[in-house]
């Protein structure tokens, strides 16, 4: 198989190509170990018996898998951690099968993303929170199978008013059918059916994995005319284009957004005085926990984003991106252009000040700042178009008392072209 042999060329993956001599598909990733295993069960047996049997020193030891280095505090923790490595390897094998079966990716030898053997798993017991079950597991394979058995056991009597209700702890979401509920439970259990055989990242389905791999292909790309991002297939471009389409309007202002969660976030930030998430280190408070988490970086003495060309490091990736441009002698320091005059700016903040002071523009109603989009020439200019679904356009048309929605509307001296498209 082309995909299998491609994966075998890499030394930073659990997978190796199928061999007519030994039929192996997995390689042990433990430091200085060269064992080749034929299936997940053999990999588990090898890892647990040949590597996990090491005595803990000073109450803890580090995972020996290359690139992981997780600190393991006791034997139970070590067992769960290593079993999850085996689960990860199995999902990478499934991912390789998906890529080999796709005409777009069967010849791929890399995904272009950084490989990591580290696990997003704290080593805690895996507890089933379905109804009153609360059974704990060490092995992700057993945990996933157990959760699936709950789904299989559901009968018609569990369908109330033509919907199933999720019984997982603190979740009462209604699902239309049992198959969709089965997929929903994976969000709670943490099960991801496939992982990238090259970089190791987990995905919810094979389609997302294929999209992940082909995003790095440079030739034959289709370009989004709104943001200049490029895509290999029309389906990817079409799915991306939906992100530019507004589907929901704020009931308190003229703001329109793409998703219900965006609308909730907007109302919380712009139309609510509640700031329940208080910083413990300064007087600032935030509407959402995610905002507080981003803010906490200010109080941390960490600079995780390092420049590959010099010793400097930064707290935010945006700072690093701006800095890296300084190392490119051919890079234009001016990234933002005024759409009303030839003036150029190094960032959006200065362009916003220019638009307000020089051209007397105001930030549109409902927005906290101007929005900029990348044009075909690579510069960012003021976004003056808003793309709406037909349903939203009809709602706005009703609000405007019968006026057509495909009009040029002046809002606070800021001109916006409202264009309706089929969402």
């Amino acid at each position: 198989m082309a995909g299998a042999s491609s994966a075998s060329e890499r030394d930073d993956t659990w997978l190796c190509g199928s061999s007519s001599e030994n039929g192996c598909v997995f390689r042990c990733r433990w430091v200085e170990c060269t064992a080749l295993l034929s299936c997940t069960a053999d990999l588990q047996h090898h890892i647990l018996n040949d590597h996990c049997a090491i005595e803990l020193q000073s109450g803890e030891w580090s995972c020996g898998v290359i690139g992981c280095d997780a600190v393991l505090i006791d034997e139970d923790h070590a067992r769960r951690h290593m079993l999850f490595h085996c689960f990860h390897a199995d999902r990478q094998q499934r991912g390789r099968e998906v890529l080999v079966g796709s005409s777009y990716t069967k010849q791929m030898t890399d995904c272009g993303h950084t490989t990591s053997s580290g696990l997003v798993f704290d080593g805690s017991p895996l507890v089933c929170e379905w109804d009153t079950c609360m059974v704990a597991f060490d092995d992700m394979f057993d945990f996933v199978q157990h959760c699936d058995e709950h789904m299989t056991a559901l009968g018609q009597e569990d369908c109330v008013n033509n919907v199933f209700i999720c019984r997982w702890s603190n979740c009462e979401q209604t699902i239309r059918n049992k198959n969709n509920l089965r997929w929903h439970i994976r969000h709670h259990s943490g099960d991801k059916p496939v992982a990238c055989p090259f970089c190791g990242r987990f995905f919810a389905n094979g389609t997302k994995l294929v999209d992940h791999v082909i995003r790095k292909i440079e030739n034959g790309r289709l370009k989004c005319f709104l943001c200049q991002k490029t895509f290999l297939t029309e389906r990817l471009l079409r799915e991306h284009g939906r992100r530019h389409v507004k589907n929901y309007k704020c009931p308190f202002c003229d703001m329109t957004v793409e998703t219900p969660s965006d609308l909730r976030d907007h109302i919380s930030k712009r139309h609510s005085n509640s700031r329940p998430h208080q910083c413990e280190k300064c007087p600032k408070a935030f509407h959402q926990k995610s905002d507080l988490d981003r803010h906490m970086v200010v109080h941390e003495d960490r600079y995780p984003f390092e420049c590959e060309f010099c010793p400097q490091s930064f707290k935010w990736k945006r700072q690093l991106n701006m800095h890296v441009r300084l190392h490119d002698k051919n890079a234009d320091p001016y990234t933002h252009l005024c759409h009303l005059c030839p003036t150029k700016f190094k960032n959006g903040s200065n362009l916003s000040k220019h638009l307000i002071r020089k051209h007397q523009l105001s930030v549109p109603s409902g927005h906290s700042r101007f929005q900029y989009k990348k044009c075909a020439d690579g510069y960012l200019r003021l976004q003056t178009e808003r793309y709406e679904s037909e349903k939203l356009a009809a709602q706005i048309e009703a609000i405007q008392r019968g006026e057509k929605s495909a009009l040029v509307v002046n809002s606070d001296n800021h001109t916006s072209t409202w264009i309706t498209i089929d969402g």
Side-chain angles (χ1 to χ4, degrees):
M1 296 188 299
S5 60
S6 296
S8 68
E9 296 172 0
R10 295 171 59 99
D11 294 328
D12 51 1
T13 173
W14 289 94
L15 305 178
C16 57
S18 298
S19 170
S20 58
E21 295 181 359
N22 53 34
C24 64
V25 292
F26 297 105
R27 62 160 59 89
C28 180
R29 294 280 295 139
W30 200 271
V31 176
E32 297 183 354
C33 183
T34 59
L36 300 175
L37 297 311
S38 60
C39 63
T40 307
D42 288 348
L43 179 63
Q44 281 190 350
H45 183 273
H46 168 74
I47 289 287
L48 294 178
N49 290 277
D50 294 347
H51 298 306
C52 242
I54 301 173
E55 292 186 7
L56 300 177
Q57 298 178 359
S58 302
E60 62 180 33
W61 57 286
S62 297
C63 173
V65 172
I66 299 171
C68 184
D69 297 327
V71 176
L72 310 175
I73 58 177
D74 56 39
E75 291 184 8
D76 291 335
H77 183 202
R79 175 181 170 81
R80 288 190 292 268
H81 178 85
M82 297 312 304
L83 284 172
F84 201 90
H85 270 303
C86 297
F87 175 80
H88 187 202
D90 176 81
R91 288 328 195 223
Q92 284 189 288
Q93 168 65 10
R94 291 191 181 188
R96 180 171 65 180
E97 294 171 356
V98 169
L99 297 183
V100 170
S102 170
S103 59
Y104 290 113
T105 57
K106 62 182 179 181
Q107 300 296 336
M108 296 292 289
T109 59
D110 203 340
C111 67
H113 297 269
T114 303
T115 301
S116 174
S117 295
L119 299 177
V120 185
F121 173 62
D122 63 3
S124 302
L126 302 161
V127 180
C128 175
E129 298 184 33
W130 180 263
D131 210 354
T132 57
C133 183
M134 304 308 291
V135 176
F137 296 85
D138 288 339
D139 191 343
M140 187 67 174
F141 289 109
D142 295 338
F143 180 53
V144 168
Q145 181 179 351
H146 170 84
C147 292
D148 191 67
E149 289 172 354
H150 281 302
M151 301 299 99
T152 303
L154 290 175
Q156 193 59 37
E157 66 277 7
D158 298 296
C159 184
V160 181
N161 296 325
N162 296 321
V163 296
F164 289 91
I165 300 177
C166 178
R167 300 179 190 172
W168 202 270
S169 178
N170 299 319
C171 181
E172 296 182 353
Q173 185 167 336
T174 55
I175 312 294
R176 287 183 295 178
N177 57 62
K178 190 160 70 171
N179 188 51
N180 288 347
L181 179 59
R182 196 184 301 273
W183 280 95
H184 169 76
I185 289 300
R186 288 178 171 175
H187 294 290
H188 296 303
S189 67
D191 179 26
K192 295 291 181 68
V194 294
C196 178
F198 307 119
C199 72
R201 181 178 173 183
F202 282 100
F203 291 93
N205 55 60
T207 300
K208 293 183 182 297
L209 170 60
V210 171
D211 292 348
H212 160 79
V213 173
I214 66 179
R215 280 194 177 99
K216 288 295 181 178
I217 299 176
E218 295 299 330
N219 297 322
R221 285 181 168 248
L222 302 171
K223 183 176 291 187
C224 172
F225 75 97
L226 289 171
C227 66
Q228 309 307 310
K229 286 186 177 181
T230 55
F231 302 88
L232 183 67
T233 66
E234 290 186 359
R235 180 183 59 80
L236 285 177
L237 177 60
R238 185 168 57 252
E239 291 183 356
H240 164 80
R242 294 193 182 103
R243 300 178 184 177
H244 293 296
V245 179
K246 313 296 183 182
N247 290 286
Y248 302 90
K249 183 185 181 303
C250 175
F252 307 109
C253 68
D254 293 334
M255 183 73 168
T256 57
V257 295
E258 292 85 356
T259 66
S261 61
D262 290 339
L263 182 57
R264 289 193 297 269
D265 293 346
H266 164 75
I267 293 175
S268 173
K269 292 179 179 179
R270 301 289 293 174
H271 304 293
S272 172
N273 293 324
S274 174
R275 294 176 179 265
H277 302 284
Q278 175 69 50
C279 177
E280 298 179 352
K281 298 185 178 181
C282 75
K284 288 190 175 183
F286 300 88
H287 297 285
Q288 298 174 313
K289 186 178 184 301
S290 58
D291 294 331
L292 174 60
D293 292 340
R294 283 192 292 270
H295 163 77
M296 291 307 296
V297 177
V298 174
H299 301 293
E300 297 176 356
D301 191 23
R302 290 192 312 113
Y303 298 82
F305 299 100
E306 300 178 353
C307 176
E308 60 179 314
F309 305 107
C310 73
Q312 283 192 261
S313 57
F314 303 87
K315 288 191 173 184
W316 290 278
K317 188 175 182 179
R318 175 176 55 84
Q319 293 175 316
L320 173 61
N321 292 339
M322 294 176 63
H323 166 79
V324 168
R325 292 178 59 86
L326 301 177
H327 292 287
D328 186 355
K329 296 180 179 179
N330 298 320
D332 188 343
Y334 299 98
T335 57
H336 291 67
L337 268 62
C338 177
H339 69 297
L340 299 174
C341 70
T343 314
K344 299 180 180 181
F345 298 90
K346 293 183 178 180
N347 54 62
S349 177
N350 289 338
L351 176 53
S352 295
K353 295 175 182 177
H354 167 81
L355 293 174
I356 294 172
R357 296 171 182 174
K358 177 68 175 179
H359 301 293
Q360 287 77 53
L361 298 186
S362 299
V363 175
S365 173
H367 292 260
S368 60
R369 55 187 176 86
F370 288 118
Q371 303 291 319
Y372 298 103
K373 75 168 187 175
K374 191 173 185 179
C375 300
D377 59 6
Y379 291 104
L380 288 101
R381 293 180 177 84
L382 181 66
Q383 182 172 336
T384 58
E385 297 175 337
R386 187 162 77 184
Y387 295 85
E388 300 161 354
S389 65
E390 289 183 345
K391 181 179 179 180
L392 178 59
Q395 294 174 353
I396 295 177
E397 185 175 351
I399 293 173
Q400 294 177 339
R401 299 177 181 179
E403 296 179 8
K404 293 182 179 180
S405 58
L407 292 174
V408 175
V409 180
N410 290 317
S411 175
D412 297 331
N413 296 323
H414 173 64
T415 301
S416 297
T417 305
W418 293 25
I419 302 176
T420 64
I421 67 175
D422 188 356

